Amino acid sequence: MSYLDIWVMFLAYYAGLITGVFAFAHALSQRADAFTAAERLTKPAWLGITGGGLFALLLFSLAGPGLMFWLAGLVAVIVYIVDVRPRLIEVQRGPRW
């Protein structure tokens, strides 16, 4: 039980890393015109945001002064997943009944 905090940080780090890889891969695989049709930033902008977020997640850890940059990277990829990804899916599939 004394190492529970280490396991939680370990799981949080790798869950964030997997989320970052997913967000970047999803942004990379989408059509460029879908971003403008969804009224979001352009595809290169979102590739830069998610790529930078993934880079921060890879480079920094949850311990020490790099925590702030790790959290900023996590926020960047979560914004893509929560806000942009659903709009891209809606634009490419069309409205669901």
Side-chain angles (χ1 to χ4, degrees):
M1 192 69 153
S2 63
Y3 295 109
L4 181 63
D5 58 339
I6 294 171
W7 282 104
V8 169
M9 301 255 306
F10 179 79
L11 289 175
Y13 177 78
Y14 283 105
L17 198 60
I18 290 169
T19 304
V21 169
F22 174 75
F24 182 73
H26 187 271
L28 191 62
S29 67
Q30 299 305 304
R31 296 187 339 232
D33 61 337
F35 287 88
T36 54
E39 297 178 353
R40 298 297 187 252
L41 295 175
T42 62
K43 181 176 181 172
W46 279 110
L47 284 175
I49 292 169
T50 56
L54 177 59
F55 183 71
L57 291 171
L58 285 169
L59 188 62
F60 300 104
S61 69
L62 287 171
L67 174 65
M68 179 179 65
F69 298 110
W70 189 88
L71 286 174
L74 185 64
V75 167
V77 297
I78 287 177
V79 164
Y80 176 82
I81 289 174
V82 171
D83 183 42
V84 179
R85 183 176 173 267
R87 292 281 296 158
L88 291 175
I89 292 171
E90 180 183 330
V91 163
Q92 291 178 14
R93 282 191 190 156
R96 299 192 77 158
W97 291 59

